[in-house]
Amino acid sequence: MTARPVPVLTVGFDLDMTLIDSRPGIRACYLALSERTGVYVDADLAVTRLGPPLAEELVNWFPAEQVAEVADLYREMYPEHAVAATPAMAGAREAIEAVRAAGGRTMVVTAKYEPNAKLHLAHLGIEPDVVVGDLWAEQKAEALREYGAGVYVGDHVGDVRGAHAANALSVALTTGPCDHEELTAAGADIVLPDLHAFPAWLESHLESRRG
């Protein structure tokens, strides 16, 4: 009997507060947006609830009919104000390399505007095999299914929902706005404190698959 081929390991990662600490950059961009538009945005508050699409934050500060136009302006201003100010999360590079060392592929699936997501990764020298932007929560399943991701790593309950919609294992991190209790209640399969814990978890996960 011919052995069935083992599917290539593909691991998806969220971006904001998973691979990058986008709070300093986004805060700077919101402050610049306030100055440009003359509309107050509480940048310190906004960066405590990262994850959902930009429009969901802007509607708190701008009339609904202006949100699309302001979102375009924000994205235009973003590279100048946000990219250089944004560091990698602790353990991000090691997490990507752990997947590669296991013979796997990596992808980033994020709600962030895709060109800006790619700018962040290039600036930090983080090189996933695939980057897909402009997808949030269950929408992320579209990309995860397309590339056959069996694991999705994120920091928000929306990421848990996206993983499950793709029938992928949800690995949740407490590095973003959602705590352990929220992530567990949302159905995360694994909750880790940060990406430093990911390589050891991945090794254990792969061993159990081989077993």
Side-chain angles (χ1 to χ4, degrees):
M1 180 181 295
T2 303
R4 295 175 63 183
V6 177
V8 173
L9 169 70
T10 301
V11 178
F13 292 86
D14 178 45
L15 186 63
D16 287 9
M17 303 312 298
T18 295
L19 289 176
I20 65 172
D21 184 351
S22 51
R23 291 171 296 185
I26 289 176
R27 180 181 184 277
C29 197
Y30 275 129
L31 291 174
L33 183 71
S34 285
E35 185 175 350
R36 179 85 165 262
T37 62
V39 175
Y40 174 71
V41 176
D42 187 337
D44 293 314
L45 176 60
V47 298
T48 67
R49 46 195 188 198
L50 300 180
L54 174 62
E56 292 191 20
E57 182 61 44
L58 292 179
V59 78
N60 294 308
W61 313 105
F62 295 88
E65 65 273 14
Q66 295 180 16
V67 164
E69 180 182 356
V70 174
D72 286 342
L73 176 61
Y74 174 95
R75 293 183 183 114
E76 178 186 316
M77 298 171 65
Y78 192 93
E80 177 184 353
H81 296 281
V83 173
T86 297
M89 293 292 283
R93 295 179 179 86
E94 293 84 351
I96 295 288
E97 288 308 313
V99 178
R100 292 229 170 92
R105 301 178 300 181
T106 57
M107 63 184 303
V108 169
V109 186
T110 173
K112 189 178 291 297
Y113 180 52
E114 188 173 305
N116 288 341
K118 289 178 176 178
L119 287 176
H120 275 300
L121 294 164
H123 177 73
L124 294 169
I126 296 173
E127 300 179 347
D129 298 293
V130 178
V131 179
V132 182
D134 305 293
L135 297 176
W136 162 241
E138 288 83 356
Q139 296 171 344
K140 294 186 175 188
E142 301 167 17
L144 296 172
R145 284 194 300 262
E146 180 179 353
Y147 291 95
V151 176
Y152 185 58
V153 185
D155 63 279
H156 197 283
V157 293
D159 298 324
V160 177
R161 301 202 309 268
H164 287 170
N167 293 318
L169 200 67
S170 169
V171 177
L173 309 174
T174 57
T175 50
C178 303
D179 62 20
H180 192 289
E181 185 177 352
E182 288 177 275
L183 295 165
T184 301
D189 298 293
I190 305 293
V191 180
L192 301 176
D194 54 38
L195 284 175
H196 278 311
F198 178 79
W201 172 83
L202 180 65
E203 183 178 357
S204 173
H205 170 64
L206 295 176
E207 279 294 328
S208 68
R209 279 178 49 175
R210 287 191 285 267

mmCIF file of all heavy atoms in Angstrom, residues 161-183:
data_model
loop_
_atom_site.group_PDB
_atom_site.id
_atom_site.type_symbol
_atom_site.label_atom_id
_atom_site.label_comp_id
_atom_site.label_asym_id
_atom_site.label_seq_id
_atom_site.Cartn_x
_atom_site.Cartn_y
_atom_site.Cartn_z
ATOM 1 N N ARG A 161 -12.017 33.104 15.330
ATOM 2 C CA ARG A 161 -13.148 32.817 14.437
ATOM 3 C C ARG A 161 -12.669 32.533 13.020
ATOM 4 O O ARG A 161 -13.184 31.642 12.344
ATOM 5 C CB ARG A 161 -14.142 33.981 14.435
ATOM 6 C CG ARG A 161 -14.716 34.303 15.814
ATOM 7 C CD ARG A 161 -16.025 35.049 15.739
ATOM 8 N NE ARG A 161 -16.000 36.222 14.889
ATOM 9 C CZ ARG A 161 -15.718 37.457 15.310
ATOM 10 N NH1 ARG A 161 -15.405 37.664 16.595
ATOM 11 N NH2 ARG A 161 -15.742 38.493 14.485
ATOM 12 N N GLY A 162 -11.672 33.294 12.564
ATOM 13 C CA GLY A 162 -11.133 33.068 11.235
ATOM 14 C C GLY A 162 -10.501 31.698 11.095
ATOM 15 O O GLY A 162 -10.691 31.015 10.077
ATOM 16 N N ALA A 163 -9.733 31.294 12.101
ATOM 17 C CA ALA A 163 -9.111 29.967 12.074
ATOM 18 C C ALA A 163 -10.164 28.874 12.006
ATOM 19 O O ALA A 163 -10.080 27.956 11.182
ATOM 20 C CB ALA A 163 -8.230 29.782 13.313
ATOM 21 N N HIS A 164 -11.166 28.970 12.845
ATOM 22 C CA HIS A 164 -12.197 27.926 12.884
ATOM 23 C C HIS A 164 -13.005 27.886 11.603
ATOM 24 O O HIS A 164 -13.394 26.804 11.144
ATOM 25 C CB HIS A 164 -13.095 28.137 14.097
ATOM 26 C CG HIS A 164 -12.427 27.792 15.385
ATOM 27 N ND1 HIS A 164 -12.959 28.092 16.622
ATOM 28 C CD2 HIS A 164 -11.240 27.179 15.649
ATOM 29 C CE1 HIS A 164 -12.140 27.674 17.574
ATOM 30 N NE2 HIS A 164 -11.097 27.121 17.008
ATOM 31 N N ALA A 165 -13.249 29.049 11.008
ATOM 32 C CA ALA A 165 -13.991 29.070 9.738
ATOM 33 C C ALA A 165 -13.212 28.371 8.636
ATOM 34 O O ALA A 165 -13.804 27.890 7.659
ATOM 35 C CB ALA A 165 -14.295 30.509 9.337
ATOM 36 N N ALA A 166 -11.888 28.304 8.790
ATOM 37 C CA ALA A 166 -11.037 27.624 7.806
ATOM 38 C C ALA A 166 -10.708 26.193 8.226
ATOM 39 O O ALA A 166 -9.914 25.524 7.566
ATOM 40 C CB ALA A 166 -9.741 28.405 7.625
ATOM 41 N N ASN A 167 -11.319 25.731 9.324
ATOM 42 C CA ASN A 167 -11.003 24.411 9.886
ATOM 43 C C ASN A 167 -9.511 24.289 10.211
ATOM 44 O O ASN A 167 -8.913 23.222 10.037
ATOM 45 C CB ASN A 167 -11.435 23.288 8.936
ATOM 46 C CG ASN A 167 -12.934 23.210 8.792
ATOM 47 O OD1 ASN A 167 -13.670 23.332 9.771
ATOM 48 N ND2 ASN A 167 -13.413 23.026 7.572
ATOM 49 N N ALA A 168 -8.929 25.386 10.644
ATOM 50 C CA ALA A 168 -7.529 25.401 11.059
ATOM 51 C C ALA A 168 -7.447 25.447 12.578
ATOM 52 O O ALA A 168 -8.390 25.882 13.256
ATOM 53 C CB ALA A 168 -6.812 26.612 10.467
ATOM 54 N N LEU A 169 -6.324 25.013 13.100
ATOM 55 C CA LEU A 169 -6.092 25.077 14.537
ATOM 56 C C LEU A 169 -5.857 26.531 14.925
ATOM 57 O O LEU A 169 -5.081 27.240 14.279
ATOM 58 C CB LEU A 169 -4.863 24.240 14.886
ATOM 59 C CG LEU A 169 -4.684 23.777 16.324
ATOM 60 C CD1 LEU A 169 -5.773 22.780 16.698
ATOM 61 C CD2 LEU A 169 -3.309 23.119 16.485
ATOM 62 N N SER A 170 -6.540 26.983 15.950
ATOM 63 C CA SER A 170 -6.394 28.360 16.415
ATOM 64 C C SER A 170 -5.376 28.424 17.548
ATOM 65 O O SER A 170 -5.599 27.890 18.632
ATOM 66 C CB SER A 170 -7.739 28.898 16.908
ATOM 67 O OG SER A 170 -7.561 30.125 17.591
ATOM 68 N N VAL A 171 -4.250 29.084 17.265
ATOM 69 C CA VAL A 171 -3.246 29.353 18.300
ATOM 70 C C VAL A 171 -3.353 30.835 18.637
ATOM 71 O O VAL A 171 -3.096 31.695 17.791
ATOM 72 C CB VAL A 171 -1.824 29.009 17.814
ATOM 73 C CG1 VAL A 171 -0.796 29.370 18.883
ATOM 74 C CG2 VAL A 171 -1.727 27.524 17.465
ATOM 75 N N ALA A 172 -3.761 31.138 19.843
ATOM 76 C CA ALA A 172 -4.022 32.517 20.247
ATOM 77 C C ALA A 172 -2.938 33.015 21.198
ATOM 78 O O ALA A 172 -2.436 32.260 22.033
ATOM 79 C CB ALA A 172 -5.390 32.616 20.915
ATOM 80 N N LEU A 173 -2.606 34.286 21.054
ATOM 81 C CA LEU A 173 -1.598 34.934 21.884
ATOM 82 C C LEU A 173 -2.251 36.004 22.742
ATOM 83 O O LEU A 173 -3.154 36.709 22.285
ATOM 84 C CB LEU A 173 -0.528 35.595 21.011
ATOM 85 C CG LEU A 173 0.124 34.743 19.928
ATOM 86 C CD1 LEU A 173 1.035 35.611 19.067
ATOM 87 C CD2 LEU A 173 0.903 33.578 20.530
ATOM 88 N N THR A 174 -1.754 36.171 23.958
ATOM 89 C CA THR A 174 -2.308 37.199 24.849
ATOM 90 C C THR A 174 -1.520 38.508 24.734
ATOM 91 O O THR A 174 -1.461 39.291 25.678
ATOM 92 C CB THR A 174 -2.321 36.714 26.307
ATOM 93 O OG1 THR A 174 -0.998 36.344 26.697
ATOM 94 C CG2 THR A 174 -3.249 35.531 26.480
ATOM 95 N N THR A 175 -0.936 38.753 23.569
ATOM 96 C CA THR A 175 -0.125 39.957 23.344
ATOM 97 C C THR A 175 -0.947 41.131 22.825
ATOM 98 O O THR A 175 -0.426 42.244 22.699
ATOM 99 C CB THR A 175 0.992 39.656 22.333
ATOM 100 O OG1 THR A 175 0.420 39.016 21.188
ATOM 101 C CG2 THR A 175 2.036 38.746 22.939
ATOM 102 N N GLY A 176 -2.210 40.911 22.498
ATOM 103 C CA GLY A 176 -3.069 41.955 21.955
ATOM 104 C C GLY A 176 -4.140 42.383 22.935
ATOM 105 O O GLY A 176 -3.964 42.290 24.156
ATOM 106 N N PRO A 177 -5.287 42.824 22.439
ATOM 107 C CA PRO A 177 -6.322 43.378 23.311
ATOM 108 C C PRO A 177 -7.165 42.340 24.044
ATOM 109 O O PRO A 177 -7.930 42.704 24.932
ATOM 110 C CB PRO A 177 -7.200 44.174 22.328
ATOM 111 C CG PRO A 177 -7.032 43.466 21.026
ATOM 112 C CD PRO A 177 -5.610 42.989 21.012
ATOM 113 N N CYS A 178 -7.029 41.061 23.687
ATOM 114 C CA CYS A 178 -7.870 40.013 24.287
ATOM 115 C C CYS A 178 -7.052 39.183 25.275
ATOM 116 O O CYS A 178 -5.949 38.733 24.952
ATOM 117 C CB CYS A 178 -8.447 39.110 23.194
ATOM 118 S SG CYS A 178 -9.414 39.996 21.951
ATOM 119 N N ASP A 179 -7.611 38.964 26.452
ATOM 120 C CA ASP A 179 -6.877 38.203 27.457
ATOM 121 C C ASP A 179 -7.153 36.702 27.321
ATOM 122 O O ASP A 179 -7.930 36.258 26.465
ATOM 123 C CB ASP A 179 -7.193 38.705 28.868
ATOM 124 C CG ASP A 179 -8.660 38.556 29.265
ATOM 125 O OD1 ASP A 179 -9.391 37.741 28.648
ATOM 126 O OD2 ASP A 179 -9.097 39.257 30.204
ATOM 127 N N HIS A 180 -6.498 35.926 28.170
ATOM 128 C CA HIS A 180 -6.584 34.469 28.122
ATOM 129 C C HIS A 180 -8.031 34.003 28.211
ATOM 130 O O HIS A 180 -8.470 33.121 27.452
ATOM 131 C CB HIS A 180 -5.749 33.874 29.266
ATOM 132 C CG HIS A 180 -5.526 32.401 29.170
ATOM 133 N ND1 HIS A 180 -6.528 31.468 29.374
ATOM 134 C CD2 HIS A 180 -4.405 31.690 28.876
ATOM 135 C CE1 HIS A 180 -6.031 30.253 29.239
ATOM 136 N NE2 HIS A 180 -4.746 30.354 28.924
ATOM 137 N N GLU A 181 -8.776 34.600 29.113
ATOM 138 C CA GLU A 181 -10.165 34.193 29.320
ATOM 139 C C GLU A 181 -11.010 34.439 28.070
ATOM 140 O O GLU A 181 -11.793 33.573 27.656
ATOM 141 C CB GLU A 181 -10.749 34.957 30.509
ATOM 142 C CG GLU A 181 -12.157 34.519 30.890
ATOM 143 C CD GLU A 181 -12.674 35.243 32.119
ATOM 144 O OE1 GLU A 181 -11.892 35.966 32.758
ATOM 145 O OE2 GLU A 181 -13.865 35.080 32.429
ATOM 146 N N GLU A 182 -10.849 35.605 27.462
ATOM 147 C CA GLU A 182 -11.618 35.922 26.249
ATOM 148 C C GLU A 182 -11.272 34.973 25.112
ATOM 149 O O GLU A 182 -12.152 34.498 24.385
ATOM 150 C CB GLU A 182 -11.326 37.357 25.802
ATOM 151 C CG GLU A 182 -11.911 38.450 26.657
ATOM 152 C CD GLU A 182 -11.488 39.814 26.134
ATOM 153 O OE1 GLU A 182 -10.391 40.278 26.499
ATOM 154 O OE2 GLU A 182 -12.255 40.395 25.348
ATOM 155 N N LEU A 183 -9.984 34.718 24.932
ATOM 156 C CA LEU A 183 -9.541 33.859 23.840
ATOM 157 C C LEU A 183 -10.020 32.422 24.039
ATOM 158 O O LEU A 183 -10.449 31.757 23.086
ATOM 159 C CB LEU A 183 -8.017 33.909 23.719
ATOM 160 C CG LEU A 183 -7.462 35.278 23.311
ATOM 161 C CD1 LEU A 183 -5.967 35.348 23.578
ATOM 162 C CD2 LEU A 183 -7.772 35.587 21.858
#
